[in-house]
Amino acid sequence: MSDKVQVHPRGYGEPKAALSQGILSGGFLFVSGAVAFHPETGEIVGDDVATQTRQVMENIRAVLKEVDLDLDDVVQSRAYLTRIQDDFPAFDSVYREFFSEPLPARSTIGVELAIPGLLVEVDVMAKLKS
């Protein structure tokens, strides 16, 4: 029997790529890289990193909520920015709005994302409640 359970937030469309939005395994929830797609239309929300980061974090929050977790349960995250030199300060400012101390461990990486217009992607790992 597999120690993997797929998590898909209610009200969200199916992913556009071959992935699960979340996987429960080994006492953790692994949330796939979330981007700034509107949950109902699938369209990119915003054309600046601050607006997109807010949508990304709300999309992550929706996956966490499906298993009664919230952003305070996140222990690790990775952020991917297409314009890291220009957008890091705005991204970091919005990111901080969503987390309290102690902040999750985080890596921030400059990349090229697969869909034009996307400026940020974030994946997280959250510890399940005991």
Side-chain angles (χ1 to χ4, degrees):
M1 180 171 204
S2 177
D3 179 34
K4 293 186 342 183
V5 176
Q6 184 178 34
V7 177
H8 181 80
R10 281 168 274 193
Y12 277 64
E14 289 299 315
K16 295 182 179 187
L19 58 88
S20 294
Q21 288 171 308
I23 290 287
L24 287 169
S25 183
F28 291 90
L29 172 64
F30 300 88
V31 179
S32 289
V35 294
F37 290 145
H38 187 279
E40 295 168 2
T41 67
E43 300 296 319
I44 296 173
V45 174
D47 59 2
D48 63 275
V49 77
T51 302
Q52 287 196 16
T53 300
R54 281 188 183 86
Q55 184 64 53
V56 165
M57 298 310 297
E58 292 300 337
N59 292 346
I60 289 170
R61 183 179 274 158
V63 179
L64 293 167
K65 185 178 176 182
E66 283 299 311
V67 293
D68 296 321
L69 296 176
D70 58 39
L71 291 164
D72 288 337
D73 298 305
V74 172
V75 295
Q76 190 269 334
S77 71
R78 285 182 293 255
Y80 308 92
L81 300 174
T82 62
R83 304 181 309 211
I84 194 165
Q85 297 296 324
D86 296 330
D87 287 347
F88 180 81
F91 161 77
D92 193 59
S93 178
V94 173
Y95 180 91
R96 288 172 182 270
E97 294 172 14
F98 287 86
F99 291 104
S100 57
E101 295 288 338
L103 297 169
R106 182 182 85 194
S107 300
T108 307
I109 306 145
V111 299
E112 180 178 345
L113 295 175
I115 298 174
L118 290 175
L119 304 174
V120 58
E121 181 172 343
V122 177
D123 63 61
V124 301
M125 180 174 58
K127 178 97 170 81
L128 299 179
K129 296 179 190 313
S130 304

